[in-house]
Amino acid sequence: MKKLFVDTNIVIDLLSRRDPFYEEAAELFSVADKKQVELTVSSLTIANTSYSLLRQMDANKAKSILRKLRLILKILPLDDKIIGLALNDETFADFEDGLQYFTAIENGQELIITRNLKDFKGSKIPSMTAKQFLETME
C-alpha cells in the first residue's frame, strides 16, 4: 500500500470544507478509507488543524472531528531528531515545511500530498497535489 504523507493544508481543506479544494481532499480521504492508500500526517498537523477548527467551532466539536480523523490516517511523531534536521536545513525557508518534510523522510513516506508544491520543491520525496495523485489512480 502506498504511503502518502499529507500536508496540513489538505487536512484543513477537508475539515473546513474549503472551496475549491474540498472535493479533491474528500476524494483522497475516501480512497484511504477504502484502504487503497495509507495516509499519514505529522503530530504538528493535528495541532495546527485543531487551532484552525477552534476558530470555527467549540472545543468539543473540534475534538470530535479530530477523533474521527484519527480513524482514517496515521499520526507520525515529531521528535527531537526531526526538529534538529529542520533547524539545520537550508532547503526549506519555512520551518514548518521543514518539520513536515523531515517527518515524512524519517518515517519512510513515498509521496507528499500538498496544495503548495513550491514549498517542497527541494524535497527528495516526490510531491503532488491531491488532484494530481487522484488522476494517477484513474
Side-chain angles (χ1 to χ4, degrees), residues 19-20 25 35 42 59 78 80-81 88 103 108 116 131 137-138:
D19 283 327
K35 308 290 188 223
S42 76
L78 180 63
D80 186 59
K81 180 179 181 183
N88 291 305
T103 299
N116 300 320
K131 183 177 181 177
M137 293 190 70
E138 294 174 355

Side-chain angles (χ1 to χ4, degrees), residues 12-76:
I12 293 174
D13 288 344
L14 174 74
L15 299 180
S16 297
R17 296 180 172 268
R18 284 198 292 205
D19 283 327
F21 310 106
Y22 169 74
E23 295 287 329
E24 58 202 49
E27 190 173 341
L28 179 68
F29 277 80
S30 176
V31 167
D33 196 35
K34 295 174 186 169
K35 308 290 188 223
Q36 294 174 327
V37 296
E38 177 184 79
L39 297 185
T40 63
V41 296
S42 76
S43 54
L44 178 61
T45 292
I46 300 303
N48 289 342
T49 301
S50 173
Y51 177 80
S52 178
L53 291 175
L54 288 171
R55 298 172 78 204
Q56 303 168 40
M57 61 193 66
D58 69 52
N60 287 333
K61 184 166 181 166
K63 282 184 180 180
S64 175
I65 289 170
L66 292 173
R67 281 192 292 274
K68 290 175 187 170
L69 182 68
R70 287 183 62 209
L71 299 173
I72 300 171
L73 51 72
K74 180 178 178 183
I75 301 170
L76 303 175

Side-chain angles (χ1 to χ4, degrees), residues 84-98:
L85 288 167
L87 285 172
N88 291 305
D89 182 78
E90 300 296 321
T91 307
F92 296 92
D94 184 310
F95 178 61
E96 191 265 343
D97 290 336

